[in-house]
RNA sequence: GCGAAAGUGGCGGAAUUGGUAGACGCGCGGGACUUAGGAUCCCGUGGGGAAACCCGUCCGGGUUCGAGUCCCGGCUUUCGCACCA
């Protein structure tokens, strides 16, 4: 065989050279060995395992825990975690004892569906996925305290999830009621809303129906006002707070009573537009409204029955999506009395009125509401104007509804004619209230939280039904209610959880009377698992309590919580709710779980969203193999503002690698003889300040840019840097690139790790220069700059500026006005 | 439709309070060292112009000595909610 050496491409050659270079410590470093070395050492020495009982200045740095998918760690997870880790490492350098735990949110329909697809029991699948996640997280160099790892699927964890349920049950905040679910008649299973695509099952494509099942709910709506009010006092991203406010959806209005003609019944409605009551020309009930049967007259019986049948069978998603949906409805045959006008108005049924909001019934004012207008037009119902805008009066025809509820005055409204809308609202409610027909009411969009899932892969809801004793919470000493291993966990036609098929598990003795009883077969929502996990982390070693009071007092509430804004509403609202309930029951001393919350942005790839179908998903393993974890971490943070996300471009990674190579070279080449350069040191102090200011603001991209800028100064003109110019840089870069920092720190001869070295102080006096470039403008346009003393006064600055011919030529005559910003700028107006 | 955020070079993005627009990085151009360069280092790089200068932060107005930043009107994009009375 001929010798192949001559045909070896040069880049292979290059690789060899590069790794030799690394061994000798010259221009480029080899991350592999260094990263493995330090990951192993951190573990051996417990570097990242803080003493939770003794350490000074505890700081709880929490990130949203991942769902351990079979595909492994997603770049989005790593982006989130790295940003979190940098903040945590920084706090540690600032002298805090930092607790940065990690766990796995492994229950839920996601895992279950995947398990069904590949035909493996999730009990076998999840541990493998978790092991893979652990491996990947380790490689990323996160400062995680693995001693406090948790998984929501572990009985020692969900025992306490069940305990949380029992607390709510005890408190009267958990209750059962019949509620609609999406049902796929072909797959014979309950579907989550996001599994319904345009009214069809995501998996088999068949039309989805609505079914009614008994389900468990938590009364979160009772906490609506408190959840809303506390938003004013917590330090959270504004966008997140706004999303929560909108979700809670407080609206102030009134409830009004409308009596039924020739009957002793009455309909209660909720309205925010009591001012328009004179224009209420008909009423509408939701199809599920309990009064529907009693209000339907004999002739209308058939039509109403058919309509109710049809609408209630539609799936929840289609029914709620309003776009392009034509209004439908049916007349009940009955009439109500408008309490303002005394006139009879017809009562209709229509699915544009929702049973879940307000009272499930409305007074329809077609003149001043888009939906009512559309409905009235279609069914030929009367439309009356009761508000007139500017230039309009009572007779101005309404070719479209007038919905402005600020401007305008009341018309056709009896004694209230001429009143501005705002005043009219109050006056009319008061007028009706005096007659017992109305009262002011605050309503919320927030609905109670349905926690039942007719599925297998979740914590069984700890409830027992006894024929004699009724609904019983499982006694706390009998927890956990173990999820039995069953091989056939496929959902079936019965609409109940697969657990019902497990006879030995299903039949149980009543904890009260010892008689025959059966278990609740629904499992709880994954959002319940994640609603309290942060309470568990510091207390994972305690088997006999969900969270230890000493640990909790020491570590909670969480100092900084970081996560995606996709959880702005549900997860973050549920954690707040559960925390409030546990506080009210005396289990916790605080009622808000997270002092500070920041939402990170999302990474896209080359301008497009990452998706499996497009095949542009970034696999973190590949990048860490190629560039090393330090480069990868730093690059992720350099892409863009952490809270906004950014665009991952393969080509750009090299810039960051080059920066770390230059750091490596500067450190190894640095001299200890002689003195450091004055102006380099000034830049260093500026950089320490900048990076220290940027990290707490999560402005990681600008912090990195500042360090790169310093690197350019440090190495300008191929100078050989002084050790004192490099050491502090190694410390401030360490949160971003922890392995290389540890390695260099050790090579500098320090025995203690870099993360215990503290954050370098900057010398404020050293940052400012004595002379500055003062910008000179003429009529607001920059015409030049002059080198002057920092503390120069206006007159001297003007003199200096006039002395520059390039500036003086624009000034010509005497200045009309001079604007002077000390230390910055001089603007001469002529 | 409602709500939130954002529109800046060829690209990702800087510009804490109105005060040098384009930091930093990618890419690109030139050079040095080289048998070689997809390594390293140096210089340059918003557009127009030989230059003096002029023009430039989505579009149109406005406030101001001065506007990417503030105000009014519009357009576009992304995300969230979606018949909430």
């Amino acid at each position: 065989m001929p010798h192949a050496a001559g045909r070896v491409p040069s880049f292979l050659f290059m690789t060899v050279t590069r790794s030799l270079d690394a061994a000798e410590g010259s221009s480029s470093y080899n991350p592999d060995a260094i990263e493995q070395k330090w990951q192993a050492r951190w573990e051996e020495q417990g570097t990242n395992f803080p003493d939770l009982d003794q350490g000074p200045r505890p700081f709880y740095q929490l990130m949203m825990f991942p769902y351990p998918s079979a595909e492994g760690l997603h770049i989005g997870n790593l982006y989130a975690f790295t940003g979190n880790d940098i903040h945590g490492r920084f706090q540690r350098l600032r002298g805090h004892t930092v607790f940065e735990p990690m766990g796995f949110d492994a229950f839920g329909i996601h895992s279950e569906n995947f398990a069904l697809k590949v035909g493996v029991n999730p009990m076998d699948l999840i541990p493998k996925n978790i092991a893979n996640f652990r491996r990947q997280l380790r490689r990323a160099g996160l400062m995680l305290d693995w001693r406090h790892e948790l998984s929501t699927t572990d009985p020692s964890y969900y025992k306490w999830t069940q305990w949380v349920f029992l607390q709510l049950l005890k408190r009267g905040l958990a209750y059962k009621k019949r509620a609609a679910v999406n049902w796929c008649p072909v797959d014979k299973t309950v579907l989550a809303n996001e599994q319904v695509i345009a009214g069809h099952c995501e998996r088999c494509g068949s039309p989805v129906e609505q079914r009614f099942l008994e389900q468990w709910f938590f009364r979160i709506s009772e906490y609506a006002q408190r959840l809303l009010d506390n938003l004013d006092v917590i330090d959270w991203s504004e966008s997140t707070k706004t999303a929560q406010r909108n979700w809670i959806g407080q609206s102030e209005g009134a409830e009004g009573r409308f009596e039924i003609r020739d009957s002793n019944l009455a309909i209660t409605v909720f309205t925010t537009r009591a001012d328009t009551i004179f224009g209420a020309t008909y009423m509408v009930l939701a199809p599920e409204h309990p009064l529907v049967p009693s209000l339907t007259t004999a002739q209308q019986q058939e039509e109403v029955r058919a309509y109710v049948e049809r609408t209630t069978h539609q799936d929840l998603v289609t029914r709620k999506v309003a776009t392009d949906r034509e209004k439908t409805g049916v007349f009940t045959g009955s009439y109500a009395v408008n309490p303002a006008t005394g006139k009879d108005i017809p009562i209709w049924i229509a699915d544009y009125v929702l049973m879940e909001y307000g009272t499930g019934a409305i007074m329809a004012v077609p003149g001043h509401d888009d939906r009512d207008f559309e409905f009235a037009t279609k069914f030929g119902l009367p439309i009356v104007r009761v508000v007139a805008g500017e230039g309009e009066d009572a007779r101005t025809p309404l070719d479209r509804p007038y919905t402005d509820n600020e401007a305008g005055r009341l018309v056709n409204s009896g004694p209230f004619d001429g009143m501005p809308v705002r005043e009219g609202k109050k006056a009319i409610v008061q007028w009706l209230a005096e007659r017992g027909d109305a009262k002011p009411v605050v309503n919320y969009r927030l609905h109670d939280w349905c926690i039942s899932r007719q599925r297998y892969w979740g914590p069984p809801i700890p409830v027992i039904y006894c024929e004699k004793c009724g609904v019983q919470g499982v006694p706390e000493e009998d927890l956990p209610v173990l999820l039995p291993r069953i091989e056939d966990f496929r959902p079936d036609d019965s609409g109940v959880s697969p657990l019902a098929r497990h006879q030995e598990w299903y039949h149980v003795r009543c904890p009260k009377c010892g008689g025959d009883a059966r278990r609740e077969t629904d499992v709880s929502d994954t959002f319940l698992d994640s609603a309290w996990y942060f309470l568990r982390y510091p207390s994972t070693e305690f088997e006999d309590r969900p969270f230890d009071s000493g640990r909790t007092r020491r570590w909670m509430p969480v100092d900084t919580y970081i996560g995606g804004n996709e959880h702005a509403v549900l997860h973050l609202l549920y954690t707040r709710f559960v925390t409030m309930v546990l506080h009210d029951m005396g289990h916790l001393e605080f009622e808000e779980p997270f002092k500070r919350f920041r939402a990170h942005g999302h990474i896209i790839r080359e301008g497009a969203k990452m998706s499996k179908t497009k095949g542009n998903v970034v696999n973190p393993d590949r990048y860490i193999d190629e560039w090393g974890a330090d480069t990868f971490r730093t690059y992720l943070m350099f892409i863009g503002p952490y809270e906004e996300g950014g665009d991952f471009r393969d080509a750009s990674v090299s810039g960051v690698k080059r920066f770390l190579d230059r750091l490596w070279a500067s450190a190894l080449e640095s001299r200890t003889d002689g003195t450091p350069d004055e102006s380099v040191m000034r830049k260093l102090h500026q950089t320490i300040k900048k990076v220290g200011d940027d990290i707490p603001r999560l402005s990681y991209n600008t912090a990195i840019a500042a360090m790169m800028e310093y690197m350019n100064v440090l190495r300008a003109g191929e100078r050989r840097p002084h050790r004192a110019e490099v050491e502090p840089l190694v410390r401030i870069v360490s949160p971003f690139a922890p392995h290389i920092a540890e390695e260099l720190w050790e090579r500098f001869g320090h025995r203690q790790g870099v993360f215990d070295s503290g954050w370098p102080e900057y010398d404020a006096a050293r940052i400012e220069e004595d002379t500055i470039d003062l910008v000179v403008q003429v009529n607001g346009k920059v015409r030049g700059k002059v080198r002057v003393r920092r503390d120069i006064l206006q007159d001297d600055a003007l003199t200096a500026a006039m002395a520059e011919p390039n500036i003086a030529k624009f000034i010509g005559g005497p200045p009309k006005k001079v604007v002077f910003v000390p230390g910055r700028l001089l603007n001469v107006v002529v």
Side-chain angles (χ1 to χ4, degrees):
Chain A
M1 211 186 202
H3 203 286
R7 282 187 277 125
V8 170
S10 59
F11 68 85
L12 274 185
F13 221 58
M14 193 187 78
T15 314
V16 172
T17 322
R18 198 203 282 182
S19 68
L20 279 178
D21 278 352
E24 287 157 20
S26 77
S27 67
S28 170
Y29 87 107
N30 176 8
D32 259 10
I34 293 171
E35 290 178 6
Q36 279 175 31
K37 167 181 165 184
W38 285 99
Q39 284 161 21
R41 186 168 307 175
W42 291 334
E43 230 147 284
E44 269 161 38
Q45 303 189 341
T47 312
N48 303 334
F49 304 157
D51 182 337
L52 296 192
D53 299 310
Q54 303 291 323
R57 303 178 68 208
F59 193 96
Y60 192 167
Q61 177 77 43
L62 181 69
M63 60 187 116
M64 288 183 184
F65 64 166
Y67 152 72
S69 70
E71 295 89 45
L73 201 59
H74 187 264
I75 180 85
N77 298 132
L78 210 48
Y79 182 69
F81 298 165
T82 304
N84 185 74
D85 191 55
I86 289 165
H87 193 262
R89 288 182 181 275
F90 175 71
Q91 295 303 336
R92 175 168 174 167
L93 285 161
R94 299 297 303 247
H96 290 279
T97 301
V98 177
F99 180 45
E100 193 179 311
M102 174 56 72
F104 301 97
D105 188 18
F107 267 138
I109 199 161
H110 204 131
S111 314
E112 185 175 321
N113 284 347
F114 185 80
L116 284 168
K117 197 170 117 193
V118 299
V120 179
N121 193 296
M123 285 191 179
D124 300 327
L125 202 62
I126 290 298
K128 281 186 200 153
N129 292 355
I130 288 180
N132 186 41
F133 262 65
R134 248 188 239 121
R135 177 189 65 79
Q136 290 184 299
L137 289 165
R138 223 167 237 138
R139 298 190 71 188
L142 302 167
M143 195 175 71
L144 297 174
D145 184 350
W146 288 106
R147 291 177 317 175
H148 290 269
E149 177 191 343
L150 62 80
S151 167
T152 55
T153 56
D154 193 332
S156 68
Y157 180 84
Y158 71 69
K159 171 181 181 176
W160 302 113
T161 307
Q162 292 169 336
W163 176 85
V164 170
F165 175 90
L166 291 175
Q167 303 315 301
L168 278 112
L169 187 65
K170 218 191 278 179
R171 189 80 176 171
L173 292 169
Y175 67 97
K176 260 197 132 170
K177 75 168 183 202
R178 278 173 73 78
V181 292
N182 299 302
W183 179 260
C184 171
V186 174
D187 286 346
K188 302 188 191 317
T189 182
V190 173
L191 300 176
N193 280 353
E194 55 270 26
Q195 294 177 289
V196 181
I197 311 294
H200 295 264
C201 172
E202 151 189 88
R203 283 193 283 165
C204 70
S206 49
V208 171
E209 303 171 351
Q210 195 175 177
R211 273 203 183 181
F212 287 85
L213 300 174
E214 285 274 309
Q215 318 231 44
W216 282 99
F217 285 84
F218 284 164
R219 275 184 223 284
I220 190 173
S221 61
E222 240 171 57
Y223 281 70
Q225 192 60 50
R226 224 163 124 195
L227 289 165
L228 191 63
D229 291 343
N230 278 7
L231 288 175
D232 295 336
V233 299
I234 50 182
D235 176 16
W236 284 26
S237 304
E238 251 344 282
S239 61
T240 311
K241 293 210 262 189
T242 307
Q244 293 220 344
R245 286 193 187 101
N246 292 342
W247 190 263
I248 295 168
Q250 185 200 58
S251 83
E252 291 180 17
E255 270 183 14
R257 231 172 77 91
F258 284 63
E259 283 175 5
I260 311 301
R261 175 65 71 204
D262 303 327
S263 152
N264 51 6
L265 296 171
I267 299 173
T268 305
V269 301
F270 174 74
T271 182
T272 53
R273 294 300 306 273
D275 52 301
T276 63
I277 194 165
F278 284 83
T281 54
Y282 66 100
M283 301 190 79
V284 187
L285 304 181
E288 302 89 346
H289 196 285
L291 285 176
V292 167
S294 5
L295 294 179
T296 306
T297 59
Q299 299 108 294
Q300 297 302 104
Q301 206 70 254
E302 211 25 59
E303 224 184 312
V304 167
R305 202 197 50 77
Y307 182 76
V308 171
E309 174 98 341
R310 185 154 52 85
T311 52
T312 52
H313 261 82
Q314 241 166 18
D315 74 282
L316 296 168
V317 179
T318 311
R319 213 181 129 181
K320 284 192 174 169
V321 169
T323 342
D324 295 337
R325 272 203 67 214
E326 190 151 321
K327 294 276 182 292
T328 60
V330 60
F331 178 44
T332 59
S334 296
Y335 290 84
V337 182
N338 181 323
T341 63
K343 284 188 192 152
D344 283 1
I345 56 175
I347 305 167
W348 284 66
I349 298 168
D351 68 352
Y352 81 91
V353 173
L354 310 173
M355 196 58 223
E356 313 92 80
Y357 186 75
T359 61
I362 61 157
M363 63 172 211
V365 185
H368 305 286
D369 180 277
D370 291 316
R371 298 149 302 179
D372 297 345
F373 184 87
E374 196 191 322
F375 191 84
T377 308
K378 178 163 173 191
F379 292 100
L381 294 159
I383 299 171
V384 175
R385 176 188 281 277
V386 290
V387 182
E390 207 166 315
E392 297 175 330
D393 62 28
R395 282 161 317 215
T396 313
L398 279 159
D399 51 350
R400 79 180 77 138
Y402 177 84
T403 56
D404 192 320
N405 76 64
E406 291 289 324
R409 289 174 178 274
L410 301 189
V411 294
N412 292 327
S413 296
F416 302 98
D417 280 356
M419 222 178 236
V421 162
R422 202 185 275 265
E423 235 173 90
K425 265 181 211 183
K426 280 192 207 132
I428 290 181
V429 172
Q430 206 189 335
W431 174 63
L432 291 171
E434 279 162 15
R435 306 174 359 194
D437 284 335
K439 60 172 186 210
V441 158
V442 176
N443 235 308
Y444 304 91
R445 296 177 53 163
L446 182 66
H447 297 149
D448 279 345
W449 173 14
C450 176
I451 62 137
S452 289
R453 296 292 180 272
Q454 293 72 43
R455 285 285 183 149
Y456 170 64
W457 193 231
I461 293 176
V463 163
I464 290 171
Y465 301 96
C466 170
E467 277 174 30
K468 276 187 235 140
C469 314
V471 179
Q472 304 286 316
V474 170
E476 288 183 19
E477 60 272 19
D478 291 348
L479 295 180
V481 177
L482 284 174
L483 179 70
R485 184 186 174 101
I486 57 175
E487 291 316 320
D488 183 15
F489 52 90
R490 225 160 274 279
D492 71 10
D493 195 31
S494 61
V496 295
S497 156
L499 288 174
R501 297 197 296 265
H502 193 289
Q503 294 299 314
E504 294 145 60
W505 185 85
Y506 182 51
H507 294 286
V508 69
R509 299 263 145 224
C510 169
K512 201 171 187 182
C513 72
D516 284 345
R518 57 193 177 79
R519 288 194 187 277
E520 168 64 68
T521 57
D522 284 358
V523 299
S524 58
D525 184 4
T526 12
F527 277 118
L528 182 58
D529 302 328
S530 56
W532 76 282
Y533 75 113
F534 57 95
L535 293 169
R536 183 66 183 160
Y537 276 135
S539 300
T540 45
E541 69 266 50
F542 297 97
E543 293 289 333
D544 60 341
R545 60 201 100 158
F547 39 84
D548 177 69
S549 58
R551 285 278 171 84
T552 302
R553 194 171 303 122
R554 190 167 166 78
W555 287 94
M556 234 105 19
V558 168
D559 293 280
T560 295
Y561 190 30
I562 287 179
N565 230 353
E566 65 275 16
H567 293 117
V569 177
L570 298 179
H571 165 64
L572 286 171
L573 207 56
Y574 294 153
T575 53
R576 296 182 58 216
F577 165 64
V578 167
T579 305
M580 278 180 196
V581 173
L582 294 176
H583 166 264
D584 292 352
M585 294 182 76
H587 295 298
L588 297 174
E589 291 172 16
F590 51 92
E591 60 173 61
E592 283 293 337
F594 315 121
K595 281 185 216 163
R596 184 165 179 254
F597 170 76
R598 290 292 180 273
H600 62 76
H602 290 277
I603 295 279
I604 56 170
R605 177 92 183 273
E606 320 264 334
K609 226 181 195 166
M610 278 183 250
S611 74
K612 263 184 275 177
T613 45
K614 275 187 222 142
N616 62 347
V617 176
V618 174
N619 174 2
D621 279 325
R622 211 197 93 205
Y623 284 87
I624 292 178
D625 285 343
E626 188 173 350
W627 298 99
D630 285 333
T631 298
F632 192 52
R633 287 167 61 104
T634 310
Y635 175 64
L636 283 176
M637 297 301 109
F638 184 58
I639 294 175
Y642 186 62
E643 291 177 87
E644 286 165 38
D647 192 356
F648 190 102
R649 285 172 187 264
D650 288 24
S652 308
V653 185
S654 58
V656 170
K657 178 62 162 58
R658 198 166 296 142
F659 166 67
L660 293 181
D661 279 340
R662 303 216 297 165
L663 173 68
W664 180 260
S666 308
L668 298 198
E669 290 161 18
S670 61
R671 64 195 156 87
T672 45
D673 57 309
T675 51
D677 180 87
E678 193 53 40
S679 72
V680 171
M681 288 306 280
R682 182 184 304 117
K683 185 71 182 173
L684 174 66
H685 283 263
Q686 287 167 348
T687 306
I688 293 170
K689 174 170 174 15
K690 169 83 175 147
V691 174
D693 288 346
D694 281 353
I695 292 178
R697 296 190 296 128
L698 311 185
S699 187
Y700 300 140
N701 56 331
T702 54
I704 296 165
M707 291 187 284
M708 287 174 163
E709 222 176 300
Y710 176 61
M711 180 63 72
N712 290 339
V713 171
L714 187 68
R715 294 181 68 80
E718 297 190 58
R719 64 186 290 277
R720 188 168 168 209
H722 192 276
R723 177 68 55 89
E725 297 163 357
V726 185
E727 268 204 19
L729 176 62
V730 168
R731 287 154 88 189
I732 63 175
V733 85
S734 68
F736 298 86
H739 313 86
I740 193 176
E742 287 274 33
E743 179 67 21
L744 292 175
W745 194 248
E746 188 184 54
R747 291 192 187 207
F748 285 155
H750 299 283
R751 308 190 75 189
Q752 202 186 26
V754 70
F755 293 101
D756 296 313
S757 74
W759 187 256
E761 294 293 326
Y762 64 85
D763 181 351
R766 218 157 165 179
I767 287 176
E768 306 222 316
E769 283 177 81
D770 296 340
T771 59
I772 53 154
D773 285 322
L774 184 76
V775 173
V776 182
Q777 297 183 338
V778 179
N779 292 334
K781 288 195 178 192
V782 178
R783 293 303 182 185
K785 4 182 199 185
V786 284
R787 190 95 193 153
V788 295
R789 286 174 48 88
R790 166 169 292 280
D791 54 5
I792 193 168
L793 298 174
Q794 177 171 328
D795 289 348
D796 297 335
L798 188 59
T799 310
M802 296 301 277
E804 285 292 323
N806 285 333
I807 294 168
K809 74 178 179 191
F810 289 99
I811 295 176
K816 278 194 203 128
K817 185 175 179 180
V818 176
V819 180
F820 181 62
V821 183
R824 267 219 149 129
L825 156 148
L826 180 77
N827 186 14
V828 183
V829 184
V830 291

